[in-house]
Amino acid sequence: MSPWRATARAHPNIALVKYWGKRDPVRILPHQSSLSVTLAPLEVVTTVEFGAPADSVVLHGTEARGKERVRVLALLERVRAGTTRALGPVRVDSRGNFPMAAGLASSAAGFAALALAGRAAAGLSTEPGAVSRLAREGSGSACRSVQGGMCIWHRGSREDGEDSVATQAFPEGHWPELRLLVAVLSRAEKEVGSRDGMAQAVETSPYYPAWVKDAEAEIPRAIAAIAARDLEVLGALSERNAWRMHATALAADPPLCYLLPGTLGLILALPAARRRGVPVWFTLDAGPNPVLLTLASHEAEVERLAREAGAVEVVRCRPGGDARLVEP
Ligand code: PMV
């Protein structure tokens, strides 16, 4: 393997206490802490090679242009700034084993794999904190995909962002029965991405300060529920955190509505399923596709329920492991 080349794999993650709003949009520093589960078997594999003939960024088999290319090269610029070596132009090749349109942003896994491969290719430390800080500057939620299991992105208070980093709260094996099913109701790309949506909510939603205070207070409760492997408590917490994030977005001006009629159809069917004895709760990112929390023993039943409510695809996930370096 060339000393200036490395390949890394990383899983995406789903937040149960969500990040929604930046206090510093350049360094990507959040207003509040967030907590997520790393999702296997979904993953992105990224190779970074310095000393290439010219900069090239290939994402999912296609040469990237525009904003995506700029964001990838900007992250690698941060890597260059961390070393005195002349690294030269860079070649990046990144591909995922899941469709972007599955509603799960591949950016978290993509930037976590890019940060790990980029630092390794440049001969820099691949200690999780350093990789997480760098991944954060690509996409905030990516800092939570550097380690497996359940991770907390601590908001931090420093202006330079050094203390705004994700750490692992529970390893991947802590709760082997936990399942997370992505119910794909729509593959359409959302009109307002999370970057613009959260900026709009911070600036115009009168509920924004209450959102921050509430979400921060949910973190220790989520940790206690995960420690006790109490899905009922964690599920209820995940649902109310998702509702509150969406309420904050809906109260923005102009309003941001990420829900589709089918989203409500599915999530409003869950209380009746619970009354029938099915342990199922939802969380919902800035898009129409809920992620359903359940246990391995009820996975097939929950998939059926999602399909009956209109899901065109259901992706079964479980807690995944750390981002890691691999042979290409
Ligand atoms: O990291 P970004 O810019 O993709 O924002 C992620 C925002 C949410 O997915 C809605 C919440 C979260 O914490 O992942």
Side-chain angles (χ1 to χ4, degrees):
M1 213 200 269
S2 136
W4 311 125
R5 170 185 170 139
T7 297
R9 324 173 79 95
H11 300 296
N13 68 77
I14 180 75
L16 304 182
V17 178
K18 297 184 190 296
Y19 142 62
W20 191 248
K22 298 172 177 62
R23 64 178 201 273
D24 178 338
V26 176
R27 292 193 176 92
I28 310 199
L29 302 177
H31 275 290
Q32 30 94 200
S33 306
S34 52
L35 178 147
S36 60
V37 184
T38 307
L39 296 180
L42 310 181
E43 64 175 19
V44 170
V45 181
T46 301
T47 297
V48 173
E49 182 167 14
F50 289 105
D55 283 343
S56 148
V57 178
V58 175
L59 302 180
H60 313 289
T62 311
E63 186 72 44
R65 318 222 167 270
K67 270 195 262 174
E68 280 186 317
R69 177 184 162 92
V70 170
R71 278 171 78 182
V72 168
L73 293 177
L75 194 89
L76 295 166
E77 215 31 67
R78 308 275 305 147
V79 171
R80 285 199 184 86
T83 170
T84 50
R85 297 182 185 108
L87 295 169
V90 70
R91 181 182 73 81
V92 177
D93 188 302
S94 181
R95 50 194 80 221
N97 68 353
F98 59 104
M100 301 267 278
L104 272 175
S106 58
S107 66
F111 279 107
L114 182 72
L116 178 55
R119 287 189 63 93
L124 295 170
S125 150
T126 55
E127 169 271 310
V131 177
S132 177
R133 268 181 222 103
L134 178 63
R136 189 200 74 221
E137 297 198 21
S139 169
S141 56
C143 73
R144 300 185 313 239
S145 271
V146 172
Q147 287 181 286
M150 288 82 174
C151 292
I152 298 170
W153 176 9
H154 309 272
R155 70 180 291 283
S157 54
R158 285 174 55 154
E159 267 179 39
D160 64 6
E162 281 299 292
D163 56 354
S164 190
V165 63
T167 58
Q168 186 180 63
F170 298 91
E172 123 191 51
H174 169 72
W175 195 348
E177 304 81 22
L178 183 66
R179 291 293 181 274
L180 305 109
L181 280 71
V182 187
V184 183
L185 295 164
S186 165
R187 294 197 178 96
E189 205 170 312
K190 55 192 171 203
E191 276 170 35
V192 184
S194 44
R195 194 160 280 220
D196 293 340
M198 60 178 89
Q200 198 169 311
V202 173
E203 280 161 32
T204 67
S205 178
Y207 302 167
Y208 194 75
W211 154 256
V212 170
K213 196 164 163 238
D214 177 74
E216 197 67 44
E218 293 282 38
I219 300 274
R221 294 184 202 119
I223 293 171
I226 297 169
R229 298 185 193 84
D230 188 334
L231 189 60
E232 199 171 337
V233 171
L234 185 66
L237 188 157
S238 302
E239 290 199 350
R240 68 175 179 257
N241 179 263
W243 280 123
R244 287 170 187 174
M245 184 192 96
H246 285 273
T248 309
L250 282 164
D253 187 17
L256 287 157
C257 181
Y258 290 105
L259 291 80
L260 290 176
T263 313
L264 284 173
L266 174 52
I267 63 186
L268 295 180
L270 302 185
R274 292 199 287 268
R275 283 194 294 274
R276 292 197 305 273
V278 185
V280 59
W281 287 265
F282 77 89
T283 181
L284 186 66
D285 271 353
N289 300 324
V291 176
L292 303 176
L293 280 72
T294 190
L295 298 172
S297 50
H298 289 78
E299 198 174 21
E301 204 174 348
V302 169
E303 172 165 352
R304 215 167 27 247
L305 186 152
R307 289 192 187 274
E308 277 166 18
V312 289
E313 190 182 343
V314 176
V315 188
R316 295 184 181 196
C317 302
R318 53 187 152 70
D322 295 349
R324 60 206 184 281
L325 291 168
V326 290
E327 290 293 322

